[in-house]
Amino acid sequence: MLGTKVKEILNEQINKEFYSAYLYLAMSAHLSDMGLYGFSRWCEIQSREEIDHGMILVEYLLKHKEKIDLKNISSPQMNFSSPLEIFEQIYNHEREITRSIDSIAVKSDEECDFATRNFIDWYLKEQIEEEDHTLRIISKLKAFGSEKSSLYLMDKELGQREYHQSFYQ
Ligand code: FEO
């Protein structure tokens, strides 16, 4: 059986993951409008991964015969500025998500819910990767992003990203 508070925050986390999907989709649309189709694709794929993250939480709760509480998903902002500002915003957003995942780990320990404590490690690793990827893109944008030819090459590079469904293992 899962911890009482743990169940609650896992349901809140489902909402945060689906909100993240909305946010990345809004960013993807904005970047597409700017003609940065590679950056746009990167964000669109990230949006799909966030849906996977939400679904893995849903499946985990269902497997443990717990109730799913699907809360309203807020609208994300729809206007953004430069790619650098967007990726800085992504980094700050992911830091928030990491703090949220950390709090699930802490709560699992407090409630002696070791199944969830073990499960949430997958998310902790995922957050390390997401923050690292985002920081690398920010570094490149800071180093070369002001040159149009460099931005073009970065756009091509990010456009190579492929979607692979995320699974909890
Ligand atoms: Fe599902 Fe970007 O964290």
Side-chain angles (χ1 to χ4, degrees):
M1 214 171 97
L2 306 185
T4 312
K5 185 66 187 165
V6 165
K7 286 186 269 190
E8 217 174 279
I9 54 175
L10 286 175
N11 270 300
E12 283 165 14
Q13 191 63 33
I14 291 171
N15 187 271
K16 289 177 188 176
E17 299 292 346
F18 284 116
Y19 172 76
S20 299
Y22 255 29
L23 178 64
Y24 282 112
L25 201 53
M27 289 168 166
S28 172
H30 178 88
L31 289 159
S32 173
D33 262 359
M34 291 175 80
L36 292 169
Y37 301 112
F39 281 91
S40 169
R41 177 174 167 79
W42 191 98
C43 285
E44 184 209 318
I45 290 174
Q46 191 58 39
S47 175
R48 290 176 192 270
E49 287 199 0
E50 300 301 349
I51 292 170
D52 291 342
H53 298 170
M55 288 307 299
I56 291 169
L57 289 160
V58 169
E59 284 157 16
Y60 179 75
L61 283 164
L62 290 178
K63 193 159 73 180
H64 287 271
K65 306 282 178 225
E66 300 292 359
K67 288 260 183 294
I68 301 297
D69 179 15
L70 296 177
K71 300 170 193 306
N72 287 339
I73 302 171
S74 310
S75 298
Q77 70 184 87
M78 292 303 298
N79 291 309
F80 302 90
S81 50
S82 68
L84 176 59
E85 279 170 358
I86 289 175
F87 276 82
E88 283 175 335
Q89 190 175 343
I90 289 175
Y91 180 69
N92 290 333
H93 176 72
E94 290 301 340
R95 288 291 302 144
E96 282 291 311
I97 296 291
T98 300
R99 275 191 279 276
S100 177
I101 300 288
D102 285 346
S103 71
I104 297 173
V106 169
K107 198 50 75 184
S108 311
D109 276 337
E110 280 173 15
E111 295 193 320
C112 298
D113 178 347
F114 302 116
T116 303
R117 181 62 195 85
N118 183 48
F119 165 72
I120 214 67
D121 269 346
W122 184 88
Y123 283 84
L124 291 170
K125 285 189 202 124
E126 189 71 15
Q127 284 310 118
I128 292 169
E129 272 183 31
E130 288 195 4
E131 286 184 24
D132 179 50
H133 289 161
T134 311
L135 279 178
R136 281 167 190 259
I137 294 169
I138 290 172
S139 297
K140 284 188 187 175
L141 282 168
K142 280 185 176 164
F144 319 111
S146 52
E147 304 247 342
K148 282 198 172 167
S149 53
S150 308
L151 196 61
Y152 172 76
L153 290 175
M154 268 193 85
D155 191 58
K156 269 184 100 168
E157 184 191 328
L158 293 185
Q160 306 289 316
R161 184 176 184 187
E162 286 182 12
Y163 169 68
H164 302 284
Q165 190 177 354
S166 305
F167 292 103
Y168 168 67
Q169 293 155 7

